[in-house]
Amino acid sequence: MGRISALLVCLALALGACGGQPSEPAAPSATQDAAFPVTIEAANGDVRIPARPERIVSISATATEMLFAIGAGDQVVAVDDQSDYPPGVPTTDLSGYEPNVEAIAKYEPDLVVATSQSGLKSLAEISIPLLVHPAVTSLDDAYTQFEQLGVATGHVANAAEEVAKIKSQIQDVVATVPEFEEPPTYYHELDNTYFTATSDTFIGQIYELAGPRNIADKADKAGSGYPQLSAEYIVQADPDLIFLADSECCNQTPERVAQRPGWDQLSAVKNDAIFDVGDDISSRWGPRVVDFLKIVVDAVGDLELAHQ
């Protein structure tokens, strides 16, 4: 299996098959920011953090974005090879897909954040707290992860402010969604072999906020949330909108999509309704979820205007 394919499989598994949703932490308050030790009910059980961490290693690209968004960036000493936002994060060759405890330990962390505890259980043997934040299935789960990171890093108030800001921004964006006599249909492309995401996934729920209907829902016979469609299925479904989440991994562009055999007859191609949502923005559930939603809402709005 090639590197791109392997990463896509890992992405699908990470987004669709992570068990154990994080539990709601205690209601945060400004006075909690300096209160340690703390214990957090995370996906990997109760995680005790004895003191405010000063050397955090993140091997989760989403957690990296969250940590910097809540003001904990100065405490982050190393991040994995997929963490590339915000600009200037301390990216290393650490892998979040195949984590190496010895390599992580060289950074002398007092907290490690990851999407899974697979390969990381031995961190407990060297007294390094591990906070597992798996891929979420709802915005509420994402907000909980922000709050837990706030408690874990001593930035409770900042985390609460970030959650409030995201909620407000989402509300403002959703308020601009046009009303439809009949909602448009869409296809979200994870890679150029036609893997996609249904409405039952976090990705699909973001689209639901914007109103379009997902052509993949009827095709997910296995209920994975991430079916692989065929070109024939997509052509027959004739989506009004196409969103590409594979421009970076697979070099897909609206022009290349339009050149696929038979795709020149698709409504989305004819109406120039193919949009790049960004491989990273659309697969992470951190602060840039608002950017993802805005791309979709703007695309839906442009389509509605074109039909008036």
Side-chain angles (χ1 to χ4, degrees), residues 42-279:
N44 56 322
D46 289 347
V47 179
R48 185 178 185 276
I49 303 173
R52 183 181 186 271
E54 301 298 337
R55 297 187 62 81
I56 301 171
V57 170
S58 170
I59 53 173
S60 160
T62 297
T64 297
E65 295 193 20
M66 287 183 171
L67 286 164
F68 277 80
I70 66 173
D74 290 345
Q75 296 156 259
V76 179
V77 296
V79 299
D80 69 298
D81 56 1
Q82 299 300 305
S83 292
D84 53 8
Y85 188 89
V89 297
T91 304
T92 69
D93 58 0
L94 292 175
S95 172
Y97 297 115
E98 298 178 355
N100 182 307
V101 169
E102 184 178 348
I104 292 171
K106 288 181 179 179
Y107 292 95
E108 301 180 351
D110 42 22
L111 176 64
V112 174
V113 186
T115 58
S116 168
Q117 62 181 337
S118 177
L120 295 171
K121 292 182 179 180
S122 59
L123 285 172
E125 298 173 6
I126 50 178
S127 301
I128 297 176
L130 169 65
L131 183 62
V132 173
H133 274 173
V136 301
T137 58
S138 71
L139 280 167
D140 284 342
D141 288 340
Y143 300 148
T144 294
Q145 290 188 2
F146 270 111
E147 292 163 356
Q148 289 191 346
L149 286 174
V151 173
T153 62
H155 293 276
V156 174
N158 286 355
E161 290 172 4
E162 183 67 18
V163 168
K165 182 180 76 172
I166 292 172
K167 288 182 177 179
S168 176
Q169 289 175 335
I170 287 177
Q171 185 176 19
D172 290 344
V173 174
V174 171
T176 68
V177 174
E179 294 185 7
F180 309 100
E181 290 186 9
E182 183 177 349
T185 57
Y186 78 94
Y187 161 58
H188 177 92
E189 182 167 288
L190 286 173
D191 77 340
N192 59 351
T193 66
Y194 312 133
F195 273 99
T196 187
T198 70
S199 298
D200 291 333
T201 65
F202 180 77
I203 292 171
Q205 290 180 18
I206 297 302
Y207 280 104
E208 284 194 332
L209 292 173
R213 290 185 291 108
N214 193 333
I215 68 165
D217 289 347
K218 295 180 180 179
D220 190 19
K221 305 301 183 183
S224 70
Y226 296 90
Q228 183 180 28
L229 307 181
S230 66
E232 293 76 16
Y233 179 94
I234 298 167
V235 170
Q236 184 174 4
D238 189 22
D240 297 304
L241 298 149
I242 294 175
F243 296 95
L244 303 177
D246 56 357
S247 59
E248 296 172 26
C249 76
C250 311
N251 298 314
Q252 295 305 295
T253 64
E255 293 75 21
R256 288 191 173 187
V257 169
Q259 292 170 3
R260 294 173 182 173
W263 287 49
D264 59 330
Q265 297 304 308
L266 292 183
S267 297
V269 174
K270 290 180 178 179
N271 296 321
D272 293 324
I274 306 175
F275 304 90
D276 180 1
V277 290
D279 300 29

